[in-house]
Every structure is written in C-alpha cells, then in structure tokens.
Amino acid sequence: MAARSNIKRPLAKFPGPLVLLGAGKMGQAMLEGWLARGLSPKKIIVLEPQPGKAIRTLTRRGLKINPKTPTQASAIVIAVKPQSAPEALPAVRAHVGRTTLALSIMAGRTLRFLQEALPSGTAIVRAMPNTPAAIGRGITVAMPNTYVSARQRRQASDLLAAIGNVEWVRDESLMDAVTAVSGSGPAYVFLLVEAMTRAGIAAGLPAELAARLARETVGGSGELLHRSAHDAATLRQNVTSPGGTTAAALEILMGPGGFDEILKEAVAAATRRSRELAG
Ligand SMILES: NC(=O)c1ccc[n+]([C@@H]2O[C@H](COP(=O)([O-])OP(=O)(O)OC[C@H]3O[C@@H](n4cnc5c(N)ncnc54)[C@H](OP(=O)(O)O)[C@@H]3O)[C@@H](O)[C@H]2O)c1
C-alpha cells in the first residue's frame, strides 16, 4: 500500500527547499504538477515580482514568496524568459549551495551561459520543454553539465516529469534541433489545424464546420497516437485503402514539395535560428 501511494506521490519525499524563479505560464504549470505529485508547498519558495492569485493563496499552506533571507536550496528551477536571465539570476546565487541543482528551462540559454551566471561548480541541467506541459503532456529534453550527480539527474527527471515525458541527451549541440522539433513543434500542429480548416472551406464546407472538423481530427488523432501501441506510419497506413480518398490526398502530401520537404526546410530554419539566438 505504501509503495502504491509513493507512486502516486513521487515528489512527497523530495528534499526542500525548492526555489522557483519565475512563476509565469511554464513555472505555474510546473508548480501545479509538483503539488499534484505530492510536493508540500512548505518546501517551495517562489521568486516572482508579480505572483498570481493561485500562488499567493498557497502561502496559507506554507509556500514562501520572495523571502528576505535566502535559504540554501536543494534545487532551483529557472523559468524566467531568456531575456530576463541576466537581471534575474543574481538573485538566485544566494540560494545556491554545494549540493544545489539548478534546472533551467530557458530556451536558448546554454550551459556555458548558466555556468557563468551561477557560482562555479554548480550542478546544472539545461532543459527544453514544450507547451503541452500546461496539461502535463509536454516532452522535455534535458542535458546535464559535468557536475550533475546521478541523484541530481533523478531529481531533475522527477521535477520535469510533472509536466510530461523526459528525454536526456549528452550532446548540447542537439538542443537546437530539439528546439526546432519539439519546442516549436506545437505551432506546426496548430498550423495544420488552420490549414485543414482553410482547405475544408475551399472544398465547400461552412467555415465553422470546417474549423470543428479540423480541430477534432488533429486533437483526436494526437490522442489516438498517444494511446496506441502502433507508430505513426502504421496508424496512417490503417486509414489508407489503396485507390481510396486518403491515398489520393497522400499522393500530394507525400509527393515532391510535400510534407517531408517542407518540414525538413522548416526544422532546418528553426535549428539555424536557435543557433543564432544562442550566440
Ligand atoms: N511557453 C513555452 O512554450 C516554452 C517552451 C519551452 C521553454 N520555455 C521557456 O520557459 C521560460 C518561461 O516561459 P513562460 O512562457 O512561462 O514565460 P512567462 O509566462 O513570461 O513567465 C516568466 C515569469 O518570470 C517572471 N520574471 C521576470 N523577471 C523576473 C525576475 N527578475 N525574477 C523572478 N521572476 C521574474 C515574469 O514576471 P513578469 O510577468 O512580471 O515579468 C513571469 O511571471 C522561458 O525561458 C521560455 O524560454 C517556454
């Protein structure tokens, strides 16, 4: 029984204090996930100039906001915008001790940048989540620096698991392509809904019906893929009978200038931009 409740509350024994720097969209999604997974608000310190009502309410359960005296944290999660980092990071230095793990989810801010901003020798994980994190269905890619211990890596995985699945890489240069595929990827999927809507209207459907069909089709197919044991290609083949309507469409989409080529170009452009932004 005890083992079962631990599975439901995997963060119940997480050592505090946990400092969250920046409680915007991502920071709040993570915070909600941590609480749902059993982390006590008493272990959480939020550093945020304008904390929302939900966070202010949590002070009744022991969460601290912008305390005057810094405490050595077991982990610090950095969730401010990348452009706020130079101004925001000095405030967390005082919370960093010898065994503190710093976990950054800032897009484009490299391990090198973080190492320069934090005390030397700090264990740092650079992570790249994506927006489905807001509903606990994100995918995050994480990269440790050389000071991260096996225990700290497990801690980072536990904290990130609150917003979805986690993959680890050992080569930081992959983070640009990761950003281009999963970081920016939700926008490509939303664009697909928009494009299917426009195509439906062009094929004669009323606008509202076209929008509903496109939205539900993409949402439902995503859910089917998520729940199915089959890969995407098999699911695609399952709805494609030879000589049928789907096959007629796929001939265009999979032909010259189709999905593959366009997406390869788009992902390459996003990868290049990510490299430029990281400097
Ligand atoms: N959203 C995504 O899809 C996504 C995906 C991957 C990675 N990320 C990364 O996640 C991070 C957060 O993104 P977000 O969308 O959650 O941004 P956001 O909603 O703007 O949240 C950032 C929060 O940090 C606060 N902040 C600003 N300066 C601060 C300071 N000096 N000290 C403490 N807090 C400060 C902001 O407060 P104010 O509003 O008062 O300025 C805001 O509440 C970014 O680095 C982004 O690159 C986001």
Side-chain angles (χ1 to χ4, degrees):
M1 233 8 227
R4 275 183 72 186
S5 57
N6 273 346
I7 291 167
K8 280 194 199 143
R9 297 166 51 83
L11 291 177
K13 289 191 177 155
F14 194 88
L18 170 62
V19 172
L20 173 64
L21 177 72
K25 291 181 283 298
M26 273 290 172
Q28 284 205 49
M30 292 186 90
L31 181 58
E32 277 165 29
W34 299 333
L35 297 172
R37 300 175 121 240
L39 184 69
S40 163
K42 287 186 187 132
K43 292 183 184 169
I44 305 173
I45 296 170
V46 171
L47 306 180
E48 158 69 53
Q50 294 178 54
K53 194 172 170 222
I55 289 181
R56 293 198 311 272
T57 308
L58 281 166
T59 55
R60 284 188 219 141
R61 292 172 53 203
L63 178 140
K64 292 186 195 70
I65 302 173
N66 305 322
K68 290 213 172 66
T69 357
T71 332
Q72 187 173 315
S74 64
I76 296 174
V77 174
I78 302 162
V80 293
K81 290 267 190 225
Q83 59 271 28
S84 310
E87 168 213 328
L89 283 178
V92 296
R93 286 180 68 98
H95 295 270
V96 178
R98 227 170 27 85
T99 57
T100 305
L101 163 73
L103 169 61
S104 162
I105 62 158
M106 291 185 293
R109 287 299 190 182
T110 61
L111 283 174
R112 190 170 161 194
F113 169 86
L114 294 160
Q115 276 160 193
E116 281 166 10
L118 296 170
S120 95
T122 305
I124 305 172
V125 169
R126 173 185 173 191
M128 182 66 205
N130 63 2
T131 41
I135 54 160
R137 285 282 307 280
I139 176 82
T140 299
V141 176
M143 160 84 206
N145 75 353
T146 49
Y147 301 109
V148 174
S149 66
R151 184 168 157 273
Q152 287 171 320
R153 187 181 149 130
R154 276 196 302 278
Q155 287 183 340
S157 285
D158 286 346
L159 292 172
L160 291 169
I163 50 167
N165 288 307
V166 186
E167 295 284 337
W168 287 87
V169 293
R170 284 238 156 242
D171 173 1
E172 193 175 8
S173 69
L174 295 179
M175 289 306 255
D176 298 307
V178 162
T179 304
V181 173
S182 56
S184 305
Y188 316 156
V189 177
F190 301 138
L191 177 64
L192 174 66
V193 176
E194 296 174 66
M196 276 174 71
T197 303
R198 286 190 283 270
I201 295 168
L205 292 175
E208 243 177 71
L209 180 61
R212 192 162 168 73
L213 296 185
R215 185 185 177 115
E216 293 300 316
T217 301
V218 173
S221 306
E223 191 60 30
L224 176 63
L225 182 64
H226 175 65
R227 293 195 205 179
S228 171
H230 297 303
D231 61 12
T234 308
L235 291 172
R236 170 177 54 76
Q237 282 150 11
N238 287 350
V239 288
T240 315
S241 13
T245 56
T246 311
L250 290 180
E251 225 170 273
I252 310 274
L253 292 174
M254 297 173 81
F259 256 9
D260 270 20
E261 281 179 33
I262 289 177
L263 267 179
K264 225 179 263 171
E265 251 181 71
V267 166
T271 307
R272 275 195 305 276
R273 186 71 186 129
S274 172
R275 246 179 243 136
E276 283 165 16
L277 290 173

